[in-house]
Amino acid sequence: MTRFNFFIAFLSGILTLSSCGDSSVNEETGLVNNFHIEGTIQGAPNQKFKIEAQSQQGVIEVAQTMTDADGNFSLDGNIPGMGIYSLSLGENGKNSVVIPMDLNDKIQLKATKETFASNPVFSGTKWAKPLTRYMELFSDFAKKQMEQIPQIKDPEKQLELFVKLKQPIVAFAEKQIRKEPGNPVNIILINLIMPSQETGFASWDPKNMEDLRKVETAFQRNYENSPITGLLSQQIAAIDAQYQSYQQYNSGTMAAPEIALKNPSGTEIRLSSLKGKVVLIDFWASWCTPCRKENPNVVRMYKKYRGEGFEVFSVSLDQDQAAWKAAIDKDGLFWPNHVSDLMGWQTPLTQTYGFQSIPHTVLLNREGNIVGVGLRGAQLEQKLVEQLAKN
């Protein structure tokens, strides 16, 4: 799950909505309509158009209508406050788009049936123009990603291209957030300035933390009672704490906790026995497909740099000793330091080293202090070379 999807899911869990009809006051609930949306969707005559949101009770329909023979529609409804909502066209709900809506919004929408979910044009609200531009950029990014990335076989180069293709959207988000930190569209755009799942904090700009705090301050001022504001504060506090830990882990001042486990032959090996070398602690498992795909890269670096004082200390999260041994042989992991407690995810090392997924790497300098966490590919090799150069 991406960070944005997690944000939306978390938000949806605490958002409570009431549905309503098309009149100024809903006869069943007595709620006053506090938003209006109208527009034209070409090529979509007599289609269901509805607004929904998630809640603890599941999907709640806020309001719905039908387009006329020319694809025109007009819809009123009631929302409890600023939040994330989904517009969908048709019966199955697959042709949908996510928008931020605020109280008293008067929204105009123009689209075609084919571009409804990818390139709709919104107007009439302060979030309309930046959301429309964001969706244009995202549509272009998605198209290029599908066309170009499958042509590249190297996962590392795929990631490099992914980051490059994503840059125009990121640059737009940064500029828009700094321009209007209190704009509801930032509920969507802040995902782009948070640390990504692909690169984490390794290539993250610390200035983004300042921007996140500006959004938080603006939301606290403009939407003090909105559940989103509280959630946003929690998210930013968590990122801040994680970044502080990341900086500490990369400062070279924190000693790596001792690991003393047995190798496949039953002999105990201690991490501290490798002090004086630059050590990569590699948490992996035979059943972990991403780990197995990354192993050739680790093997390549070991072959290239072991003569300069580089060692790999592999810690397996396997439970099956035979499978563990077979994977070591099959992947050619020929360094001598392989250990495991054969406890799988029950190993206390997940708490000691603070990770929840594998592969997970921790790079140590010659003093046995942590200088890098979660590094892979080119970033790992660059950091390794820097440490090997220090005598």
Side-chain angles (χ1 to χ4, degrees):
M1 180 180 288
T2 66
R3 184 177 295 276
F4 175 61
N5 287 336
F6 172 78
F7 184 86
I8 298 302
F10 193 111
L11 186 156
S12 300
I14 61 175
L15 188 61
T16 302
L17 298 170
S18 298
S19 61
C20 63
D22 292 336
S23 60
S24 60
V25 177
N26 182 273
E27 294 181 358
E28 296 182 3
T29 65
L31 297 173
V32 177
N33 292 328
N34 57 15
F35 76 85
H36 174 81
I37 180 169
E38 64 181 46
T40 302
I41 306 173
Q42 296 179 3
N46 306 313
Q47 294 280 305
K48 180 185 286 188
F49 179 88
K50 61 183 177 180
I51 300 177
E52 296 178 317
Q54 295 284 338
S55 77
Q56 293 175 336
Q57 291 75 40
V59 177
I60 291 181
E61 185 176 289
V62 179
Q64 70 165 295
T65 189
M66 296 289 292
T67 61
D68 65 16
D70 297 316
N72 300 311
F73 71 92
S74 179
L75 182 62
D76 295 277
N78 177 278
I79 56 175
M82 188 271 289
I84 292 285
Y85 299 85
S86 174
L87 309 181
S88 65
L89 179 68
E91 294 292 338
N92 58 22
K94 292 183 178 180
N95 198 8
S96 62
V97 59
V98 172
I99 66 170
M101 286 206 323
D102 196 6
L103 298 176
N104 303 314
D105 273 349
K106 298 186 184 307
I107 309 162
Q108 286 85 49
L109 168 62
K110 291 184 178 181
T112 67
K113 184 177 181 180
E114 291 72 24
T115 64
F116 176 77
S118 57
N119 288 110
V121 177
F122 293 99
S123 59
T125 72
K126 60 183 176 182
W127 52 260
K129 185 176 180 180
L131 180 66
T132 298
R133 179 56 179 156
Y134 161 75
M135 295 194 70
E136 290 174 351
L137 290 169
F138 187 86
S139 178
D140 184 60
F141 161 70
K143 180 181 178 181
K144 290 180 178 178
Q145 183 182 3
M146 293 181 65
E147 290 175 348
Q148 298 180 32
I149 290 184
Q151 306 300 320
I152 301 174
K153 302 302 181 183
D154 185 344
E156 186 177 324
K157 294 189 182 301
Q158 284 183 341
L159 178 57
E160 290 177 0
L161 179 58
F162 175 84
V163 172
K164 180 180 179 181
L165 294 176
K166 188 179 176 183
Q167 187 53 42
I169 314 177
V170 175
F172 167 76
E174 291 173 344
K175 182 178 180 180
Q176 175 62 36
I177 287 170
R178 290 165 187 167
K179 178 182 177 183
E180 296 182 288
N183 193 311
V185 76
N186 293 335
I187 306 172
I188 294 174
L189 298 185
I190 57 172
N191 172 62
L192 293 162
I193 66 169
M194 290 180 176
S196 70
Q197 289 185 332
E198 295 82 22
T199 59
F201 289 110
S203 58
W204 191 63
D205 187 349
K207 291 181 181 178
N208 289 337
M209 181 57 68
E210 299 175 16
D211 295 332
L212 289 173
R213 290 196 181 102
K214 288 178 181 178
V215 173
E216 178 185 16
T217 299
F219 273 45
Q220 287 174 340
R221 180 176 61 251
N222 298 338
Y223 312 106
E224 180 181 3
N225 298 320
S226 170
I228 290 177
T229 299
L231 175 60
L232 181 63
S233 295
Q234 293 175 32
Q235 289 280 299
I236 292 173
I239 292 172
D240 192 16
Q242 291 166 9
Y243 184 62
Q244 296 303 321
S245 295
Y246 171 82
Q247 288 184 307
Q248 186 176 24
Y249 281 136
N250 285 269
S251 67
T253 61
M254 177 182 291
E258 178 69 287
I259 300 176
L261 297 175
K262 293 181 179 180
N263 67 11
S265 300
T267 301
E268 182 181 271
I269 302 178
R270 288 182 170 270
L271 174 62
S272 57
S273 68
L274 300 178
K275 194 171 183 179
K277 296 181 180 293
V278 177
V279 178
L280 177 69
I281 307 175
D282 186 18
F283 294 95
W284 74 296
S286 66
W287 44 261
C288 170
T289 301
C291 302
R292 303 294 293 274
K293 289 183 178 180
E294 182 67 13
N295 277 343
N297 188 49
V298 180
V299 170
R300 179 189 63 79
M301 285 191 291
Y302 185 67
K303 288 179 178 178
K304 185 175 181 179
Y305 298 109
R306 60 175 173 163
E308 299 179 37
F310 174 51
E311 283 294 340
V312 179
F313 190 85
S314 291
V315 183
S316 171
L317 270 66
D318 275 287
Q319 292 178 289
D320 184 331
Q321 187 172 32
W324 174 34
K325 290 181 179 180
I328 293 173
D329 292 338
K330 185 173 182 179
D331 291 2
L333 312 182
F334 63 97
W335 47 89
N337 308 300
H338 289 275
V339 299
S340 179
D341 54 17
L342 297 176
M343 295 176 64
W345 283 110
Q346 300 305 311
T347 177
L349 291 174
T350 58
Q351 296 296 319
T352 303
Y353 277 86
F355 64 94
Q356 298 178 333
S357 63
I358 52 176
H360 180 71
T361 60
V362 181
L363 188 66
L364 311 183
N365 63 16
R366 297 183 190 276
E367 288 73 42
N369 294 337
I370 299 173
V371 293
V373 175
L375 300 175
R376 295 169 64 180
Q379 292 177 336
L380 172 58
E381 187 164 8
Q382 179 181 353
K383 194 73 172 182
L384 171 61
V385 171
E386 290 175 2
Q387 292 303 313
L388 289 173
K390 298 179 181 180
N391 295 321

